[in-house]
């Protein structure tokens, strides 16, 4: 049995994991490897990719930078989050503001150190990324439109570090990135709707605060329509293998989300819609493996393919 001191220490570990959104980071790291295996470097063997020290360091640099970004975001938004997410924020508050700052600096130093193993250009890339994460949390987050745009861009940036590493700039890669960007943009707008009460209290100038919920819903509908258009283009002009079923099922999901959006009024309604988009992103990350089933079989070492 754990004593009281040990239980508190364990709770603080869980609290820090919650602050840095450890589950999101683990999914991102896995998604980066899946992208490398099935989209960005299909010509390389599985062993070459998995044992590539440079790729590992880029993935770790991304993870540390994002951990720092979540930490500084939690540091600045502690009062607002207490209004919008009281239960989770009480867990997060087991980690003091001083500890958050320490974790922020340690994460960023580790990110730059990991990047330095790859190249000086990687150091510059991640240093700029770290600065933009801080600038977003410190300044940009309180402004409409640009905050949503920058939030979506910052979420996609870690994948571009892998794109650049493999020098793969094929149009299909950018189309997948565009779909990812639009889904994330929808999610950031939904978060603004959910956080309306806290944003008002803390003087955040988001779209729902300045222009009302109806305007935010109109913009979300427009984002949803653009996302559907990108999905149609991917299905019509690119070879997607079995991943086409992901887009075929995600399109009705987006339509359902848009329709449900106009009936949503309470904060928990927006939480449900955010979960739907989060599931869409998660399933999409794993669906990439099914773009080429023969490649998937090769990666898994199977002797047959369907």
């Amino acid at each position: 049995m754990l004593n009281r001191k040990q239980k508190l220490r364990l709770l603080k570990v869980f609290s820090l994991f919650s602050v840095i959104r450890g589950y999101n980071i683990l999914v991102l790291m896995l998604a980066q490897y899946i992208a490398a295996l099935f989209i960005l470097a299909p010509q390389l063997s599985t062993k070459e990719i998995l044992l590539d020290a440079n790729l590992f360091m880029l993935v770790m640099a991304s993870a540390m930078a994002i951990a720092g970004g979540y930490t500084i975001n939690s540091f600045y938004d502690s009062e607002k989050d207490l209004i919008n997410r009281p239960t989770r924020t009480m867990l997060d508050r087991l980690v003091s503001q001083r500890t958050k700052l320490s974790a922020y600096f340690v994460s960023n130093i580790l990110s730059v150190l990991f990047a330095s193993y790859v190249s000086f250009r990687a150091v510059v890339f991640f240093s700029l990324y770290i600065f933009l994460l801080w600038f977003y949390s410190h300044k940009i987050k309180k402004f409409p439109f640009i905050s949503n745009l920058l939030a979506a861009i910052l979420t996609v940036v870690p994948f571009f570090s892998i794109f650049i590493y493999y020098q793969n700039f094929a149009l299909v890669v950018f189309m997948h990135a565009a779909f990812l960007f639009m889904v994330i943009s929808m999610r950031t707008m939904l978060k603004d709707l959910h956080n309306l009460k806290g944003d008002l209290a803390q003087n955040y100038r988001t779209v729902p605060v300045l222009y009302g919920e109806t305007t935010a819903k109109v913009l979300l509908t427009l984002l949803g329509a653009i996302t559907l258009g990108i999905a149609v283009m991917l299905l019509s002009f690119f070879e997607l293998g079995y991943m086409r079923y992901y887009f075929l099922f995600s399109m009705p999901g987006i339509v359902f989300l848009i329709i449900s959006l106009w009936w949503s009024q309470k904060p928990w309604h927006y939480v449900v819609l955010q979960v739907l988009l989060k599931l869409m992103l998660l399933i999409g990350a794993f669906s990439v493996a099914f773009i080429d089933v023969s490649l998937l079989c090769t990666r898994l070492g199977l002797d047959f393919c369907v």
Side-chain angles (χ1 to χ4, degrees):
M1 292 290 291
L2 297 175
N3 58 40
R4 186 175 179 181
K5 200 170 185 179
Q6 290 172 323
K7 287 180 180 178
L8 180 60
R9 190 177 293 118
L10 187 61
L11 276 174
K12 286 185 176 181
V13 170
F14 280 118
S15 176
L16 184 60
F17 188 79
S18 175
V19 166
I20 67 171
R21 305 297 183 262
Y23 40 85
N24 287 349
I25 293 173
L26 290 174
V27 170
L28 171 70
M29 293 171 71
L30 184 58
Q32 285 177 300
Y33 269 104
I34 291 174
L37 285 165
F38 297 102
I39 294 183
L40 301 176
Q43 75 282 1
L44 299 179
S45 69
T46 304
K47 185 178 180 180
E48 284 179 297
I49 293 173
L50 295 182
L51 298 183
D52 186 343
N54 285 339
L55 175 61
F56 176 74
M57 290 300 177
L58 287 175
V59 170
M60 289 302 298
S62 300
M64 291 298 100
I66 292 169
Y70 278 127
T71 304
I72 199 65
N73 193 59
S74 176
F75 177 83
Y76 285 124
D77 286 354
S78 59
E79 297 301 323
K80 186 187 81 167
D81 288 341
L82 192 60
I83 299 171
N84 294 322
R85 302 177 183 84
T87 304
R88 192 176 76 182
T89 304
M90 291 306 295
L91 174 64
D92 292 354
R93 283 201 162 195
L94 288 174
V95 177
S96 67
Q97 294 289 80
R98 183 177 179 178
T99 301
K100 287 179 184 178
L101 277 179
S102 298
Y104 170 69
F105 287 113
V106 169
S107 297
N108 289 338
I109 291 169
L110 287 174
S111 177
V112 173
L113 285 175
F114 285 131
S116 68
Y117 180 89
V118 180
S119 68
F120 177 72
R121 285 187 298 176
V123 170
V124 174
F125 180 93
F126 281 100
S127 297
L128 180 60
Y129 184 48
I130 289 167
F131 170 77
L132 288 174
L133 286 168
W134 168 80
F135 192 59
Y136 165 77
S137 296
H138 184 58
K139 291 288 185 183
I140 301 299
K141 197 171 183 181
K142 292 189 176 184
F143 296 95
F145 302 112
I146 188 173
S147 62
N148 302 92
L149 177 64
L150 187 56
I153 290 173
L154 291 173
T155 306
V156 174
V157 162
F159 289 98
F160 275 99
S161 67
I162 310 300
F163 297 165
I164 294 168
Y165 175 63
Y166 285 112
Q167 295 291 301
N168 189 334
F169 303 109
L171 181 58
V172 65
V173 172
F174 284 96
M175 289 301 295
H176 279 281
F179 183 85
L180 174 64
F181 175 81
M182 294 309 301
V183 174
I184 293 170
S185 296
M186 292 175 68
R187 191 162 177 264
T188 59
M189 188 67 73
L190 274 171
K191 287 174 71 175
D192 285 345
L193 283 166
H194 171 245
N195 295 338
L196 180 59
K197 187 175 179 180
D199 288 340
L200 276 168
Q202 297 297 315
N203 197 32
Y204 278 60
R205 302 175 66 212
T206 61
V207 172
V209 168
L210 290 180
Y211 305 105
E213 290 184 68
T214 301
T215 300
K217 289 180 179 182
V218 169
L219 287 173
L220 253 169
T221 302
L222 179 61
L223 290 173
I226 295 172
T227 307
L228 287 172
I230 294 172
V232 170
M233 291 177 67
L234 279 163
L235 287 166
S236 303
F237 302 109
F238 299 95
E239 181 56 51
L240 300 174
Y242 284 109
M243 193 186 180
R244 66 180 180 274
Y245 292 109
Y246 165 72
F247 290 107
L248 287 171
F249 283 107
S250 66
M251 289 169 68
I254 293 171
V255 172
F256 170 78
L257 183 144
I258 293 171
I259 294 171
S260 301
L261 174 70
W262 289 96
W263 292 91
S264 301
Q265 295 180 339
K266 298 181 179 179
W268 71 267
H269 294 160
Y270 301 124
V271 172
V272 171
L273 296 181
Q274 284 185 66
V275 170
L276 175 62
L277 288 179
K278 201 166 187 178
L279 281 173
M280 190 179 297
L281 290 169
L282 182 63
I283 295 170
F286 289 100
S287 297
V288 170
F290 294 93
I291 288 180
D292 187 339
V293 175
S294 62
L295 178 60
L296 175 61
C297 290
T298 302
R299 298 292 193 203
L300 296 177
L302 301 177
D303 295 328
F304 63 91
C305 286
V306 179

